Amino acid sequence: MEIAINNKRYTVEAGSDETLLNVLRNHLGMTGSKYGCGEGACGACKVLIDGVAAPSCITTIGSLAGKNITTIEGIAEEVLHPVQKSFLETDVFQCAYCASGMVIAAVSLLKKNEKPSEREIIQGMQGNICRCGTYPRIVRAIQLAANQKNGHGQTN
Ligand code: FES
């Protein structure tokens, strides 16, 4: 099957019902997306599909014809993505198992809503679980990224 990931096309030896997460991790060596629940509930495996965050553990590669996938490996260009920077500046993570899924979900949220309220951030991030309970810092990091994007803070 052919699949477009991070602006590159890959041909993978996998059936159409294979999950995207399995293909990323075990066929292509992209291990940034994590396996948590395996049923679409924790967000650790999220990737962007045509710019929208989705759990790769319940997405079959057969459903991805014509779609562009962006994984955590492809989220940054020459420098870190502003969301990655804000998460680092806010010192968000403890164990960081949820990190890539959180960053992907935050990027997707800010694409839809450039200046979300605290409540909108909490609602928008509900599909992502942090087992260390760093939620207040995650909210602050997303607020920081939104402010930087809107020109109210440092961007580099
Ligand atoms: Fe995919 Fe939990 S591993 S949502």
Side-chain angles (χ1 to χ4, degrees):
M1 295 217 52
E2 264 219 357
I3 186 165
I5 303 169
N6 301 331
N7 299 317
K8 276 174 77 175
R9 298 201 74 78
Y10 294 88
T11 302
V12 289
E13 295 288 321
S16 60
D17 59 348
E18 188 118 21
T19 68
L20 175 59
L21 181 61
N22 189 42
V23 168
L24 291 173
R25 292 183 59 84
N26 299 323
H27 292 251
L28 300 174
M30 295 183 198
T31 55
S33 307
K34 302 299 183 203
Y35 182 93
C37 64
E39 53 189 40
C42 75
C45 66
K46 278 188 177 171
V47 298
L48 297 175
I49 300 176
D50 286 344
V52 178
S56 62
C57 70
I58 54 167
T59 301
T60 60
I61 58 166
S63 68
L64 294 171
K67 310 228 187 235
N68 290 304
I69 292 122
T70 307
T71 68
I72 193 68
E73 288 87 354
I75 208 86
E77 290 176 1
E78 281 172 16
V79 293
L80 287 179
H81 188 283
V83 169
Q84 290 174 306
K85 278 194 202 169
S86 69
F87 272 63
L88 283 174
E89 281 169 31
T90 314
D91 207 7
V92 166
F93 298 115
Q94 288 181 202
C95 85
Y97 197 78
C98 68
S100 66
M102 287 288 180
V103 167
I104 292 284
V107 169
S108 179
L109 171 67
L110 291 175
K111 265 184 210 270
K112 268 193 305 208
N113 182 352
E114 284 199 344
K115 192 82 176 125
S117 66
E118 182 173 344
R119 196 162 161 218
E120 287 168 334
I121 293 172
I122 291 166
Q123 280 172 348
M125 297 297 288
Q126 266 183 357
N128 289 71
I129 295 172
C130 169
R131 62 188 177 185
C132 307
T134 65
Y135 299 110
R137 294 203 294 272
I138 290 167
V139 171
R140 279 207 303 280
I142 295 171
Q143 288 170 325
L144 178 63
N147 284 339
Q148 288 177 338
K149 211 171 162 194
N150 288 295
H152 301 302
Q154 286 187 310
T155 53
N156 52 22

